[in-house]
Amino acid sequence: EVQLLESGGGLVQPGGSLRLSCAASGFTFSTYAMSWVRQAPGKGLEWVSVIIGSGGSTFYADSVKGRFTISRDNSKNTLYLQMNSLRVEDTAIYYCARTLSGYWFDPWGQGTLVTVSS
Amino acid sequence: EIVLTQSPGTLSLSPGERATLSCRASQTISSSYLAWYQQKPGQAPRLLIYGASSRATGIPDRFSGSGSGTDFTLTISRLEPEDFAVYYCQQYGGSPPLFTFGQGTKLEIK
């Protein structure tokens, strides 16, 4: 069974940093692109970042470019999101998702909540 | 940037009825790049339809997708109680931002 399990969320002050992890199992991790998608409380879905299987290419939404860094460790089947210079508007549930054919997301993890507040 | 606009914002129907949800793109997109998701309260989204009309694994055949160009539709032929949820369309644009979502349609029990 394909499973994704996020961790690392929590409460952080504006300007602070946090590192999210997503542990993958049930599929050949290194052969799939992986993404982070977030959802602010009561709001819709916003794509954040994607990384190809090898880790050689990464892409970001303008809202996080220069502040967030996506990476992966294929030996550990784990995806990461390093979040720096956090803002109140980054408060959201962060989901990791396998990116099929490079075009759509399936499955999704259960999400981890990041709250940026003083 | 391609903007996806979903309508209606809220759809109130009864179990057994047919639901038709719309997703309109601000410019022509490839059908291969259009997907639909279902999200229930407190849960992660679930892929329903990819490539505009292909059902994902395990999705009942009462769910169907159609459309091309700028207009896409998700149809639920006969609503079951578990179908009441929020539905999102999503597209891959190939240029920044790579992926965009519609704002969602809430399907509620009438």
Side-chain angles (χ1 to χ4, degrees):
Chain A
E1 180 190 4
V2 175
Q3 286 193 322
L4 300 171
L5 184 62
E6 302 95 334
S7 60
L11 174 63
V12 61
Q13 292 187 336
S17 298
L18 213 54
R19 188 199 199 199
L20 306 183
S21 299
C22 171
S25 60
F27 64 102
T28 306
F29 182 69
S30 62
T31 63
Y32 289 90
M34 296 292 296
S35 295
W36 289 98
V37 179
R38 69 184 180 183
Q39 186 170 36
K43 302 297 183 182
L45 301 168
E46 179 189 18
W47 169 74
V48 172
S49 182
V50 64
I51 185 169
I52 66 170
S54 68
S57 291
T58 59
F59 301 89
Y60 299 91
D62 285 347
S63 57
V64 306
K65 196 175 299 182
R67 300 188 298 122
F68 290 11
T69 302
I70 191 171
S71 62
R72 63 193 297 160
D73 185 336
N74 286 343
S75 69
K76 296 182 178 179
N77 290 347
T78 302
L79 175 72
Y80 302 101
L81 186 67
Q82 177 67 43
M83 304 185 296
N84 298 331
S85 303
L86 282 161
R87 305 167 180 168
V88 171
E89 56 264 35
D90 294 320
T91 295
I93 296 173
Y94 285 72
Y95 297 100
C96 68
R98 187 175 64 171
T99 309
L100 295 183
S101 300
Y103 305 147
W104 44 82
F105 309 111
D106 181 58
W108 301 54
Q110 88 291 346
T112 187
L113 177 62
V114 172
T115 303
V116 184
S117 175
S118 55
Chain B
E1 174 182 346
I2 297 176
V3 176
L4 298 179
T5 302
Q6 293 186 240
S7 61
T10 302
L11 184 58
S12 299
L13 294 170
S14 301
E17 291 192 293
R18 180 185 186 91
T20 303
L21 287 66
S22 173
C23 176
R24 177 163 291 178
S26 58
Q27 54 188 277
T28 297
I29 62 174
S30 169
S31 298
S32 299
Y33 302 160
L34 195 285
W36 290 92
Y37 302 85
Q38 176 193 67
Q39 187 179 32
K40 297 180 181 180
Q43 296 185 16
R46 176 174 71 146
L47 178 68
L48 296 176
I49 301 288
Y50 63 92
S53 60
S54 298
R55 272 188 302 276
T57 302
I59 302 303
D61 60 7
R62 64 179 181 273
F63 290 90
S64 63
S66 63
S68 64
T70 61
D71 291 308
F72 299 87
T73 300
L74 175 69
T75 302
I76 310 171
S77 58
R78 285 182 310 279
L79 286 166
E80 298 286 343
E82 62 268 27
D83 298 336
F84 292 91
V86 179
Y87 292 84
Y88 294 94
C89 57
Q90 170 254 318
Q91 68 89 31
Y92 166 79
S95 59
L98 285 187
F99 304 93
T100 55
F101 291 88
Q103 83 279 15
T105 289
K106 182 180 181 180
L107 179 56
E108 64 176 25
I109 299 177
K110 186 174 182 180

Coordinates of all heavy atoms in Angstrom, one line a residue, chain A residues 84-115:
Chain A
N84 N 12.0 28.8 5.7 CA 12.6 29.9 6.4 C 11.8 31.2 6.3 O 11.0 31.3 5.4 CB 14.0 30.1 5.9 CG 14.9 28.9 6.0 OD1 14.8 28.1 7.0 ND2 15.9 28.7 5.1
S85 N 12.2 32.1 7.1 CA 11.5 33.5 7.0 C 10.0 33.3 7.0 O 9.3 33.9 6.1 CB 12.0 34.2 5.8 OG 13.4 34.4 5.8
L86 N 9.5 32.5 7.9 CA 8.0 32.2 7.8 C 7.2 33.4 8.2 O 7.6 34.3 9.0 CB 7.7 31.1 8.8 CG 8.1 29.7 8.3 CD1 8.2 28.7 9.4 CD2 7.1 29.2 7.2
R87 N 6.0 33.5 7.5 CA 5.1 34.6 7.6 C 3.8 34.1 8.2 O 3.5 32.9 8.0 CB 4.9 35.3 6.3 CG 6.1 35.7 5.6 CD 5.9 36.1 4.1 NE 7.1 36.5 3.4 CZ 7.2 36.7 2.1 NH1 6.1 36.4 1.4 NH2 8.3 37.1 1.6
V88 N 3.0 35.0 8.7 CA 1.7 34.6 9.2 C 0.9 33.9 8.1 O 0.2 32.9 8.4 CB 0.9 35.8 9.8 CG1 -0.5 35.4 10.1 CG2 1.7 36.3 11.0
E89 N 1.0 34.4 6.9 CA 0.2 33.8 5.8 C 0.7 32.4 5.4 O 0.1 31.8 4.5 CB 0.2 34.8 4.6 CG 1.6 35.2 4.1 CD 2.0 36.5 4.7 OE1 1.7 36.8 5.9 OE2 2.7 37.3 4.0
D90 N 1.8 31.9 5.9 CA 2.2 30.6 5.6 C 1.5 29.5 6.5 O 1.7 28.3 6.3 CB 3.7 30.4 5.9 CG 4.5 31.2 4.9 OD1 4.2 31.3 3.7 OD2 5.5 31.8 5.3
T91 N 0.7 30.0 7.4 CA -0.1 29.1 8.3 C -1.0 28.3 7.4 O -1.9 28.8 6.7 CB -0.9 29.9 9.3 OG1 0.0 30.6 10.2 CG2 -1.9 29.0 10.1
A92 N -0.9 27.0 7.6 CA -1.7 26.0 6.7 C -1.4 24.6 7.1 O -0.4 24.3 7.9 CB -1.3 26.2 5.3
I93 N -2.2 23.7 6.6 CA -1.9 22.3 6.6 C -1.0 22.0 5.4 O -1.4 22.5 4.3 CB -3.1 21.4 6.6 CG1 -4.0 21.6 7.9 CG2 -2.8 19.9 6.4 CD1 -5.3 20.9 7.8
Y94 N 0.1 21.4 5.6 CA 1.0 21.1 4.5 C 0.9 19.6 4.2 O 1.1 18.7 5.1 CB 2.4 21.5 4.8 CG 2.7 23.0 4.8 CD1 2.1 23.8 5.8 CD2 3.4 23.5 3.7 CE1 2.3 25.2 5.7 CE2 3.5 24.9 3.6 CZ 3.0 25.7 4.6 OH 3.2 27.1 4.5
Y95 N 0.5 19.3 2.9 CA 0.4 17.9 2.5 C 1.6 17.6 1.5 O 1.9 18.4 0.7 CB -0.9 17.7 1.7 CG -2.2 17.9 2.4 CD1 -2.9 19.1 2.3 CD2 -2.7 16.9 3.2 CE1 -4.1 19.3 3.0 CE2 -3.9 17.1 3.9 CZ -4.6 18.3 3.8 OH -5.8 18.5 4.4
C96 N 2.1 16.4 1.7 CA 3.0 15.9 0.6 C 2.2 15.0 -0.3 O 1.2 14.4 0.1 CB 4.2 15.2 1.1 SG 3.9 13.6 2.0
A97 N 2.5 14.9 -1.6 CA 1.8 14.1 -2.5 C 2.7 13.6 -3.6 O 3.6 14.3 -4.1 CB 0.7 15.0 -3.1
R98 N 2.5 12.4 -3.9 CA 3.2 11.8 -5.1 C 2.6 12.5 -6.3 O 1.4 12.7 -6.5 CB 3.0 10.3 -5.1 CG 3.8 9.6 -6.2 CD 3.7 8.1 -6.1 NE 2.3 7.6 -6.3 CZ 2.0 6.3 -6.5 NH1 2.9 5.4 -6.4 NH2 0.8 6.0 -6.7
T99 N 3.5 12.8 -7.3 CA 3.1 13.5 -8.5 C 3.2 12.6 -9.6 O 4.3 12.3 -10.2 CB 4.0 14.8 -8.6 OG1 4.0 15.5 -7.4 CG2 3.4 15.7 -9.7
L100 N 2.0 12.1 -10.1 CA 2.0 11.1 -11.1 C 2.1 11.7 -12.5 O 1.4 12.7 -12.8 CB 0.6 10.3 -11.0 CG 0.4 9.5 -9.8 CD1 -0.9 8.7 -9.8 CD2 1.6 8.5 -9.6
S101 N 2.9 11.1 -13.3 CA 3.1 11.6 -14.7 C 3.6 13.0 -14.7 O 3.6 13.7 -15.8 CB 1.9 11.4 -15.5 OG 1.5 10.1 -15.6
G102 N 3.9 13.6 -13.6 CA 4.2 15.0 -13.5 C 3.1 15.9 -13.5 O 3.3 17.2 -13.5
Y103 N 1.8 15.4 -13.5 CA 0.7 16.3 -13.8 C -0.3 16.3 -12.6 O -1.1 17.3 -12.5 CB 0.0 15.8 -15.0 CG 0.8 15.7 -16.3 CD1 0.6 14.8 -17.2 CD2 1.9 16.6 -16.5 CE1 1.4 14.7 -18.4 CE2 2.7 16.6 -17.6 CZ 2.4 15.6 -18.5 OH 3.2 15.5 -19.6
W104 N -0.5 15.2 -11.9 CA -1.5 15.2 -10.8 C -1.0 14.5 -9.6 O 0.1 13.9 -9.6 CB -2.8 14.6 -11.3 CG -2.6 13.3 -12.1 CD1 -2.4 12.1 -11.6 CD2 -2.6 13.2 -13.5 NE1 -2.3 11.2 -12.6 CE2 -2.4 11.8 -13.8 CE3 -2.7 14.1 -14.6 CZ2 -2.3 11.3 -15.1 CZ3 -2.6 13.6 -15.9 CH2 -2.4 12.2 -16.1
F105 N -1.8 14.7 -8.5 CA -1.3 14.3 -7.2 C -2.1 13.1 -6.6 O -3.3 13.1 -6.4 CB -1.5 15.5 -6.2 CG -0.9 16.7 -6.7 CD1 -1.7 17.8 -7.1 CD2 0.5 16.9 -6.9 CE1 -1.1 19.0 -7.6 CE2 1.1 18.1 -7.4 CZ 0.3 19.1 -7.7
D106 N -1.3 12.0 -6.4 CA -2.0 10.8 -5.8 C -0.9 9.8 -5.4 O -0.1 9.4 -6.1 CB -2.8 10.1 -6.9 CG -3.5 8.9 -6.4 OD1 -4.3 9.0 -5.4 OD2 -3.3 7.8 -7.0
P107 N -1.0 9.4 -4.1 CA -1.9 9.9 -3.1 C -1.4 11.1 -2.3 O -0.3 11.6 -2.7 CB -2.0 8.7 -2.1 CG -0.6 8.1 -2.1 CD -0.1 8.3 -3.5
W108 N -2.1 11.5 -1.3 CA -1.7 12.6 -0.5 C -1.5 12.0 1.0 O -2.1 11.1 1.4 CB -2.8 13.6 -0.4 CG -3.2 14.3 -1.6 CD1 -3.6 13.6 -2.8 CD2 -3.3 15.7 -1.9 NE1 -3.9 14.6 -3.8 CE2 -3.8 15.8 -3.3 CE3 -3.0 16.8 -1.2 CZ2 -4.0 17.1 -3.9 CZ3 -3.2 18.1 -1.8 CH2 -3.7 18.2 -3.1
G109 N -0.6 12.7 1.7 CA -0.4 12.3 3.1 C -1.5 12.9 3.9 O -2.4 13.6 3.3
Q110 N -1.5 12.7 5.2 CA -2.6 13.2 6.0 C -2.4 14.6 6.4 O -3.3 15.3 6.9 CB -2.7 12.3 7.3 CG -1.8 12.8 8.5 CD -0.3 12.6 8.3 OE1 0.1 11.8 7.3 NE2 0.5 13.2 9.1
G111 N -1.2 15.2 6.1 CA -1.0 16.6 6.4 C -0.4 16.9 7.7 O -0.5 16.1 8.7
T112 N 0.4 18.0 7.8 CA 0.9 18.4 9.1 C 0.7 19.9 9.2 O 0.8 20.7 8.2 CB 2.4 18.1 9.2 OG1 2.9 18.4 10.5 CG2 3.3 18.9 8.2
L113 N 0.2 20.4 10.3 CA -0.2 21.8 10.5 C 1.0 22.6 10.9 O 1.7 22.3 11.9 CB -1.3 21.8 11.6 CG -1.8 23.2 12.0 CD1 -2.4 23.9 10.7 CD2 -2.8 23.2 13.1
V114 N 1.1 23.7 10.2 CA 2.1 24.7 10.5 C 1.4 26.0 10.9 O 0.6 26.5 10.1 CB 3.0 25.0 9.3 CG1 4.0 26.2 9.6 CG2 3.9 23.8 9.0
T115 N 1.7 26.5 12.1 CA 1.0 27.7 12.6 C 2.1 28.8 12.8 O 3.1 28.5 13.6 CB 0.2 27.5 13.9 OG1 -0.7 26.5 13.6 CG2 -0.4 28.8 14.3

